[in-house]
Amino acid sequence: MEKGRNLRFSRAYIPTSKETPNDAVLQSHILLIRGGYIQGVASGLYNLLPLGKKILDNIRDIVKDELDRAGCQEVDLAFVTPAELWEESGRIQKFGKELLRFHDRKENLFVLGPTHEEMMVNLVRDNITSYKQLPQNLYQIKTKFRDEARPRFGLMRGREFVMKDGYSFHESEEDMKREFSLMEETYKKIFSRLGLDFRVVEADSGAIGGTGSREFMVLADSGEDTLVVCKSCEYGANIETAKRQPKDAPEPVEMTFGKFLTPNMKAIDELSEFFHVDPYFFVKAVAKKAIFEDREEIVLFFVRGSDELEETKAVGTVGALELVDASQEELETAGLVAGFMGVLNLPQNIRTVYDLELKGSKNLITGANEVDYHYVGATLEELPEDTHFADLVVVKEGDLCSVCGGELHYKKGIEVGHIFQLGTAYSEKLKANFLDQNGKSQPMVMGTYGIGVSRLISAVVEQSHDDKGIILPKEIAPYRLNILVSNVKKSEELEFGEEIYSHFQSLGVPTILDDRKDRFGFKIKDAELIGFPYTLIIGKSLKDGEVEILHRARGEKESVSVDEVKTKLEELLK
RNA sequence: CGGGGUGUAGCUCAGUAUGGUUAGAGUACUUGGUUUGGGACCAAGGGGCCGGAGGUUCGAGUCCUCUCACCCCGACCA
């Protein structure tokens, strides 16, 4: 018999509530508070109550189990990390205010770890000196802290949260890629065991750097990320990086080159109407100020009038830290005219990037870089060799899949996992080198793999609930079986409940006995709100030798004879 | 960080335009009784620095100033 897996409801600390908390909006947030799983303490900070702690532990066990099977080793690094490490990697600047910093009594600067690349490299760099000690894959499941500008949605975006962060070290790019694939497979197993409906998508690597990167997205309308997925094949990508087949032209149009007066017409729609030409044939110019570590520069991005600029792609293609809107003055200083920017008559030395789908196009309408004028019949056939082309556009619903030609559509997703092919960025900066087979010193090749463990609690609930409450799969439910004694004053009901309770207790099944003195309606509402996968109802039909099993997910009650109930439950709870 | 909103009982909220007995309701809680298959009923109770500080006034939950906290939209987000 294992302790701590069973509980009498009458002794439990499970503060449920009928009322919707006034500061919660998202269903998962509301239900987790109402169900007595969590309690808010401050913006982005939550206490886990007994039920919340159990569900977290259950998720953690599954994550750990699969990782250990895949050969990863768990460690536990200090939460408080010396700021010097962050200076070494240069990320103390990059992370900015999200890093919570403070001084100890000796006035040394520390930060609360928001992610542990630096710490993990530091852990291995002095001990791993030879290719013979590689590869390694180390992980921890631990509280992280990021001082988010705007925490929200309960556990979904807290400042303090539990993350599984893993880091692998390799002697070669190939070996890192092998591990990356292994982690992708391992993550799929984890999320499948959690009963989640998820997609693996291509993703932007963002500030962490590296090349290939995959996100694991739980599909939910409340998700903060937009995914582009194909209806016909497996293709899926975060919209920040999604690709499509080049769009076909609506109807070929022949234009004679000329300059036209377009007084005060700046919007593509207006111009399209004025010229009776589809927006596809316009060149849209988007001016942004690109911020680099040491300088700023105005960059002009050109896409078709029927397209929109995807900023994440744009940032990546110019290698900037971020893009911000350029002010009127900044545009003028650069020699640009807002509303009439175009591909012809550009001022000298202005940096430009063209969308790939504009390559070799002709019969275009474009701003004249002169107030109130546009050119008609412009061509991009004669651009210089070194013109910068890149994928810049936002993929829209209905666009065609670049893999199979199927129709693309949008889905909303909650990011619960992200795996990166990191390369040598951190090992170089932090000097984590080893000697290869030729005795040559090399930086270790790294991969990094994250899972939002506490966020998964929200994600599970977000994906699995109804108007009555939470619906938990038995793999992660705090108790798999709830034994509801309808009226504890009826000794035969209570006795039968106790019998079943001790039976499953001895089998090691996490079980709770609802022996509270409350009425049936009150207790069944609680059971549905909390989301026990199975509730055994011992009530008025007991005298006829019958009890009922409530299947939470199906929302159905099933009558079972008292003789068969143990076998039946054992079957269900397996 | 910009814009908006809200702070009154454990929880959900009235009351604040027009200052004036002892600050209310529902729910939750305690006690007694009646109930007992879908958040019961009757009765009696306990519970408040009206977010905080300062001010105006004979008098402030209510008016003024400042502050803090929380939520929403946006920016941001390995």
Side-chain angles (χ1 to χ4, degrees):
Chain A
M1 194 196 307
E2 295 176 58
K3 283 186 178 174
R5 310 196 89 186
N6 306 285
L7 190 65
R8 286 168 193 276
F9 217 133
S10 58
R11 300 300 314 145
Y13 188 62
I14 305 177
T16 58
S17 162
K18 266 199 290 198
E19 301 277 4
T20 300
N22 96 96
D23 54 0
V25 177
L26 211 60
Q27 276 306 310
S28 58
H29 189 190
I30 292 171
L31 291 173
L32 286 169
I33 292 174
R34 285 190 48 211
Y37 285 85
I38 63 170
Q39 178 190 44
V41 264
S43 184
L45 304 179
Y46 292 87
N47 290 331
L48 291 187
L49 276 39
L51 290 185
K53 172 63 173 157
K54 277 189 170 290
I55 202 171
L56 180 77
D57 285 350
N58 290 343
I59 293 174
R60 182 190 198 120
D61 286 349
I62 290 174
V63 171
K64 178 170 172 52
D65 184 51
E66 290 297 337
L67 289 172
D68 289 352
R69 277 170 202 266
C72 307
Q73 301 160 77
E74 189 172 12
V75 294
D76 197 356
L77 307 191
F79 181 33
V80 173
T81 69
E84 291 96 84
L85 277 176
W86 292 81
E87 276 153 17
E88 247 185 280
S89 73
R91 283 212 294 183
I92 195 151
Q93 306 291 345
K94 215 165 193 172
F95 248 99
K97 283 188 163 178
E98 286 203 6
L99 272 183
L100 188 64
R101 305 149 200 238
F102 57 92
H103 295 274
D104 68 3
R105 65 200 299 162
K106 289 182 275 186
E107 288 300 315
N108 290 322
L109 188 61
F110 288 86
V111 308
L112 285 186
T115 174
H116 278 193
E117 279 79 8
E118 286 82 354
M119 285 287 279
M120 203 62 89
V121 173
N122 180 54
L123 184 84
V124 301
R125 65 179 167 185
D126 297 334
N127 297 316
I128 294 185
T129 49
S130 157
Y131 72 94
K132 292 175 191 164
Q133 296 165 288
L134 295 173
Q136 289 292 341
N137 189 331
L138 303 173
Y139 74 96
Q140 56 174 351
I141 298 172
K142 196 178 176 72
T143 297
K144 301 286 185 292
F145 192 93
R146 290 182 197 172
D147 200 357
E148 292 263 1
R150 182 146 101 87
R152 62 193 119 160
F153 303 148
L155 298 181
M156 201 77 94
R157 182 173 290 282
R159 291 191 291 173
E160 188 177 305
F161 57 97
V162 177
M163 179 166 85
K164 172 262 156 175
D165 50 324
Y167 309 84
S168 68
F169 303 89
H170 308 269
E171 59 175 311
S172 69
E173 191 82 9
E174 298 72 58
D175 194 56
M176 181 270 284
K177 286 190 167 152
R178 175 202 51 74
E179 187 75 9
F180 183 85
S181 303
L182 175 64
M183 286 300 110
E184 179 169 345
E185 290 314 308
T186 304
Y187 275 34
K188 284 182 187 167
K189 285 183 195 162
I190 291 170
F191 298 125
S192 299
R193 276 179 69 178
L194 294 172
L196 291 165
D197 182 14
F198 66 98
R199 277 268 189 160
V200 187
V201 300
E202 293 174 12
D204 180 58
S205 298
I208 197 166
T211 46
S213 140
R214 294 268 165 96
E215 283 171 339
F216 294 76
M217 292 285 189
V218 169
L219 300 180
D221 291 338
S222 57
E224 295 186 84
D225 289 284
T226 300
L227 317 178
V228 174
V229 296
C230 180
K231 282 184 176 168
S232 315
C233 77
E234 284 298 296
Y235 179 77
N238 193 307
I239 193 163
E240 294 176 345
T241 180
K243 292 182 175 50
R244 69 177 185 201
Q245 278 189 4
K247 294 264 249 189
D248 289 333
E251 277 177 36
V253 179
E254 279 303 320
M255 299 177 188
T256 332
F257 184 80
K259 186 169 164 185
F260 282 77
L261 180 64
T262 51
N264 212 26
M265 288 185 214
K266 299 177 180 177
I268 299 277
D269 287 353
E270 255 181 303
L271 290 157
S272 166
E273 205 169 307
F274 178 76
F275 285 110
H276 300 289
V277 170
D278 191 281
Y280 177 87
F281 296 103
F282 286 78
V283 179
K284 184 190 283 184
V286 184
K288 292 280 174 185
K289 183 165 76 175
I291 316 250
F292 299 89
E293 263 176 59
D294 48 355
R295 65 198 169 87
E296 300 177 350
E297 181 181 11
I298 299 290
V299 183
L300 261 185
F301 297 95
F302 294 115
V303 298
R304 288 196 179 271
S306 48
D307 283 321
E308 281 169 59
L309 180 71
E310 170 55 60
E311 280 208 26
T312 305
K313 290 181 181 178
V315 171
T317 199
V318 296
L321 291 176
E322 61 170 330
L323 293 179
V324 297
D325 289 338
S327 72
Q328 196 77 27
E329 297 77 52
E330 286 164 336
L331 289 181
E332 280 167 21
T333 310
L336 294 166
V337 189
F340 301 95
M341 297 177 289
V343 297
L344 300 178
N345 290 340
L346 276 169
Q348 292 291 308
N349 299 326
I350 187 117
R351 184 162 177 190
T352 57
V353 185
Y354 292 77
D355 181 56
L356 274 172
E357 292 184 36
L358 280 169
K359 203 166 201 170
S361 305
K362 51 187 179 177
N363 293 320
L364 296 167
I365 300 179
T366 177
N369 292 312
E370 187 179 329
V371 179
D372 290 346
Y373 282 97
H374 278 79
Y375 284 111
V376 172
T379 175
L380 296 179
E381 285 167 311
E382 292 143 20
L383 286 171
E385 283 284 313
D386 60 351
T387 301
H388 186 174
F389 284 98
D391 175 22
L392 293 178
V393 299
V394 178
V395 173
K396 302 225 172 89
E397 287 199 287
D399 288 352
L400 301 181
C401 175
S402 58
V403 177
C404 76
E407 198 174 317
L408 296 171
H409 63 296
Y410 286 175
K411 291 235 181 231
K412 288 289 180 183
I414 301 164
E415 183 189 348
V416 292
H418 200 159
I419 56 178
F420 295 82
Q421 298 182 19
L422 202 49
T424 55
Y426 291 87
S427 44
E428 277 172 25
K429 278 197 173 123
L430 294 161
K431 301 189 178 59
N433 301 319
F434 69 99
L435 292 185
D436 68 12
Q437 297 190 45
N438 305 314
K440 203 175 145 203
S441 181
Q442 304 269 14
M444 297 176 207
V445 180
M446 293 177 63
T448 177
Y449 320 96
I451 293 179
V453 178
S454 50
R455 175 181 284 183
L456 273 166
I457 300 175
S458 276
V460 167
V461 176
E462 203 54 44
Q463 197 169 68
S464 181
H465 68 266
D466 61 16
D467 53 350
K468 291 175 177 167
I470 297 170
I471 302 172
L472 289 174
K474 64 176 183 234
E475 285 74 15
I476 58 172
Y479 296 96
R480 293 190 177 192
L481 176 63
N482 173 36
I483 302 168
L484 192 160
V485 177
S486 180
N487 185 348
V488 292
K489 282 190 182 164
K490 294 194 171 154
S491 54
E492 49 311 343
E493 287 187 17
L494 187 57
E495 276 164 26
F496 189 67
E498 293 279 3
E499 185 193 329
I500 302 289
Y501 181 57
S502 57
H503 176 73
F504 284 99
Q505 204 164 7
S506 66
L507 291 181
V509 176
T511 305
I512 188 164
L513 176 69
D514 197 345
D515 58 345
R516 292 177 296 175
K517 293 191 176 85
D518 299 277
R519 295 159 65 98
F520 174 80
F522 181 85
K523 294 202 274 196
I524 195 81
K525 291 281 185 197
D526 258 3
E528 286 165 336
L529 173 61
I530 292 167
F532 301 115
Y534 301 101
T535 293
L536 175 66
I537 301 170
I538 301 167
K540 61 183 181 185
S541 57
L542 181 68
K543 59 181 187 304
D544 309 319
E546 299 261 303
V547 288
E548 287 169 293
I549 297 170
L550 172 67
H551 297 247
R552 181 67 181 90
R554 303 207 317 244
E556 286 168 10
K557 280 183 268 196
E558 177 190 8
S559 280
V560 185
S561 86
V562 294
D563 306 322
E564 292 166 3
V565 70
K566 284 184 190 166
T567 336
K568 180 80 190 173
L569 282 172
E570 282 169 28
E571 192 68 24
L572 289 171
L573 294 167
K574 240 194 283 188

